[in-house]
Amino acid sequence: MTSTDTGERRRAADTRPVITDLLVASTVESIAGEAWVALVGEDEVLVPIPGDLPVDPVSAWVDVVGPWTGSVVLTTGRDTAADLTRALLGPAVPEELEDEDVADAFGEIANVVGGNVKAALPGPSALSLPDVGAAPAVRNPADVCRIDVLWRGQPVAISVQGALPALPLPHPPHENPMHENPMHENPTHENGASL
Amino acid sequence: MKILVADDSRVMRQIVIRTLRQAGYDDHEIVEAEDGADALAKVSSEKPDLVLSDWNMPNMTGIECLEAMRASGSAVPFGFVTSEGSPEMREKAANAGALFLIAKPFTADSFTEHLDGVIA
């Protein structure tokens, strides 16, 4: 009677694992490290030291829908995202970077990190195409596996975060209008449909 | 020979093309496609000798493109370059007629390993 737990919470915990049951931070670190070396450059290391993200950061993420459902979200400063884009494009970098280039490059890093995180989780799962903008909100602080690293001295956060439960009120429903994701309307999205 | 590189990310197409060069395949004509439907159309119009394709793309996925190619009688060698390499996906790729699946992140060495013998 004195428990603050609710029946609803217990049911959720019984049926859906949280990410910390499935994944440890060191796995995310090693996945991200490999992605950086292969995509950004051979000498591009991620240093596991937390830094303060700027007030107006940018995020890139992919959604994983399966036995565990959530998002793999990379967040960094806009200048750092542009630097990552230049590093990825290498000699093909245009003189003036367009927002579209940054969204493409940063989204692709999220795609590779997310694809490998998905592979480390129990399946079968589907992976969404990458999205770029303001990060999806953390739904359940207990369902988050986050690492904070530095790349070229600049902070990058990688958060593997569950999509459940639905955001409680009074959060405005259009907090993140750029993020149009069928997953949130249909959590039982057929596996493999968007692979 | 002519290589068709299909990926909805322009940046990733650049990286794939760069990695082909680093792996020593720098003497080939490259054609780009921005999704599976574009790739399928270009298999007909460009007659590539090899297709390197992402899996997860809008309009038509890589596996749908491969299945459509094989259904139409095209036997062009086809390999995936994709951010996921689960055993299920590898099996699905092989069953559909893909020669290999290179998982991202990849290196020039993994390209050499899979492409030697495919690219003359």
Side-chain angles (χ1 to χ4, degrees), chain A residues 34-35 38-39 85 87-92 94 101 104-105 108 111-112 115-116 118 125 127-130 192 194-195, chain B residues 7-12 14-15 18 54-58 61-64 83-86 89 92 103-107:
Chain A
E34 280 177 37
L39 293 175
T85 304
L88 256 76
L89 283 168
D101 296 321
D104 183 1
E108 196 54 36
N111 182 38
V112 171
N116 284 276
K118 177 197 159 216
S125 301
L127 192 70
S128 75
L129 293 169
S194 65
L195 281 176
Chain B
D7 200 308
D8 54 315
S9 163
R10 189 178 67 84
V11 168
M12 188 49 76
Q14 294 293 335
I15 292 173
R18 188 167 73 213
D54 188 19
W55 188 297
N56 200 4
M57 294 181 286
T61 64
I63 192 83
E64 287 165 355
S83 65
E84 304 172 72
S86 68
M89 290 177 76
K92 202 172 172 189
K104 301 171 191 170
F106 47 74
T107 61

Side-chain angles (χ1 to χ4, degrees), chain B residues 33-87:
Chain B
E34 59 188 29
D35 58 39
D38 191 21
L40 186 61
K42 283 178 175 157
V43 165
S44 295
S45 62
E46 299 280 346
K47 309 247 182 299
D49 302 292
L50 171 68
V51 179
L52 293 178
S53 176
D54 188 19
W55 188 297
N56 200 4
M57 294 181 286
N59 294 327
M60 180 183 257
T61 64
I63 192 83
E64 287 165 355
C65 172
L66 172 59
E67 286 166 352
M69 279 169 56
R70 294 297 184 251
S72 71
S74 166
V76 177
F78 189 108
F80 284 103
V81 180
T82 174
S83 65
E84 304 172 72
S86 68

Side-chain angles (χ1 to χ4, degrees), chain A residues 106-144:
Chain A
F106 197 32
E108 196 54 36
I109 298 176
N111 182 38
V112 171
V113 172
N116 284 276
V117 166
K118 177 197 159 216
L121 295 175
S125 301
L127 192 70
S128 75
L129 293 169
D131 222 331
V132 177
V138 167
R139 306 299 181 86
N140 172 7
D143 194 7
V144 175

